[in-house]
């Protein structure tokens, strides 16, 4: 059971997310995280899906997603060199006594303070999922009030072939 | 037709994304971007959905999503003060002649260079969607080779009640 990051370029048409998510759910494939947003071409969107499974399952996902209507291209980024990042917004309890501790941790992780007030601090942090996970663990003792974590964005590190 | 950011806390159960995406698609509601990932509680995931529609449609979405199995809470963040960010990874063509121009723009936007090589530069940037959009426009003339943009992460700026 390995974790795979799959990038799916789709036509920006109605219902395409429901079809892809439905295929994963219908076949019993796990979705650990998912992001979908527009690309530089307004006709296309890109989904980045993190899933787990052995080689056979990943091959099946690749084949079956490729066959769906409005799917242009499926790339298993995990098979080459790639860069992936996600973004975290988190609100944590802060008192005058522990605020500087929190700020110090945010600086170490190269995060940003996005709001302060009413005994709360809002933090923005980007990075690989492991870094994000480590930061969340460090914030737990202060009292996490709210958090939202995007799915992954991922691009290949290998030279682009054409476009 | 206003843009709304809706935060949906769900139980981390199989098929919940397919149910939510299916409801949007079945009822004809638009999804502009979507992110789903785990929360600090491993039993829960949070989806952040950006959708467009008038007040009546947004009310309907709120009601109908709330009724779905495994949906714990639906919050329309747009009705209060909130912070939202997304993350962009982008690979652009670079020559020795224009590399410094690109690097300068990345610095202005407080982005990070994540890889350089083979006539390409990989860039990471986080911010509000408008900032991300502006940066993409500025990169287009250089030749965008690949890009992936997460959906939104969003948290309320209003004081947290309880938890």
């Amino acid at each position: 059971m390995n974790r795979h990051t799959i990038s799916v370029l789709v036509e920006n048409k109605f219902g395409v997310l429901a079809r892809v998510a439905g295929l994963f759910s219908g076949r019993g494939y796990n979705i650990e995280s998912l992001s979908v947003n527009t690309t530089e071409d307004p006709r296309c969107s890109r989904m980045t899906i993190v899933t787990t499974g052995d080689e056979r399952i990943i091959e099946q996902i690749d084949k079956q997603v490729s066959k769906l209507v409005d799917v242009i291209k499926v790339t298993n980024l995990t098979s080459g060199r790639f860069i992936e990042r996600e973004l975290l917004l988190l609100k944590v309890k802060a008192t005058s006594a522990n605020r500087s501790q929190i700020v110090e941790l945010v600086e170490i992780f190269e995060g940003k303070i996005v709001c302060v007030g009413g005994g709360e601090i809002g933090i923005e942090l980007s990075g690989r999922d492991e870094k994000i996970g480590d930061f969340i663990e460090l914030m737990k003792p202060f009292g996490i009030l709210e958090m939202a974590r995007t799915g992954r964005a991922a691009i290949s590190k290998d030279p682009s072939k054409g476009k």
Side-chain angles (χ1 to χ4, degrees), chain A:
Chain A
M1 290 289 274
N2 294 314
R3 193 178 281 178
H4 287 257
T5 302
I6 293 168
S7 177
V8 185
L9 188 67
V10 297
E11 287 191 49
N12 201 357
K13 286 203 183 145
F14 197 76
V16 57
L17 172 64
R19 278 197 287 284
V20 173
L23 185 145
F24 272 79
S25 139
R27 305 266 176 168
Y29 306 142
N30 182 44
I31 292 181
E32 202 166 283
S33 78
L34 180 145
S35 264
V36 56
N37 210 329
T38 49
T39 66
E40 71 277 25
D41 180 346
R43 292 166 303 178
C44 298
S45 287
R46 184 178 295 279
M47 286 179 204
T48 308
I49 301 170
V50 178
T51 185
T52 46
D54 56 28
E55 287 305 318
R56 198 181 51 86
I57 301 238
I58 302 301
E59 254 176 55
Q60 278 179 13
I61 289 175
D62 190 331
K63 258 190 211 162
Q64 285 160 1
V65 174
S66 300
K67 276 187 205 159
L68 288 177
V69 178
D70 301 328
V71 168
I72 300 165
K73 200 182 168 193
V74 180
T75 313
N76 181 2
L77 290 167
T78 315
S79 65
R81 297 188 313 148
F82 70 109
I83 293 166
E84 57 181 1
R85 295 285 186 276
E86 51 184 74
L87 185 132
L88 169 75
L89 284 177
L90 179 143
K91 212 159 64 170
V92 73
K93 278 186 213 167
T95 61
S96 51
N98 66 18
R99 187 174 298 125
S100 63
Q101 276 181 62
I102 296 171
V103 172
E104 196 176 86
L105 288 167
V106 172
E107 281 167 4
I108 291 169
F109 278 77
E110 298 180 72
K112 287 179 197 164
I113 307 279
V114 289
C115 63
V116 185
E120 303 179 2
I121 293 187
I123 300 158
E124 173 193 338
L125 184 73
S126 65
R128 297 196 53 162
D129 67 324
E130 207 183 299
K131 175 184 162 187
I132 304 270
D134 288 349
F135 185 76
I136 293 168
E137 283 307 313
L138 285 166
M139 287 299 117
K140 275 184 182 171
F142 298 104
I144 294 173
L145 295 162
E146 206 176 323
M147 68 167 265
R149 193 172 171 169
T150 64
R152 225 63 75 81
I155 54 171
S156 163
K157 259 186 97 165
D158 299 319
S160 300
K161 298 153 199 141
K163 209 216 127 155

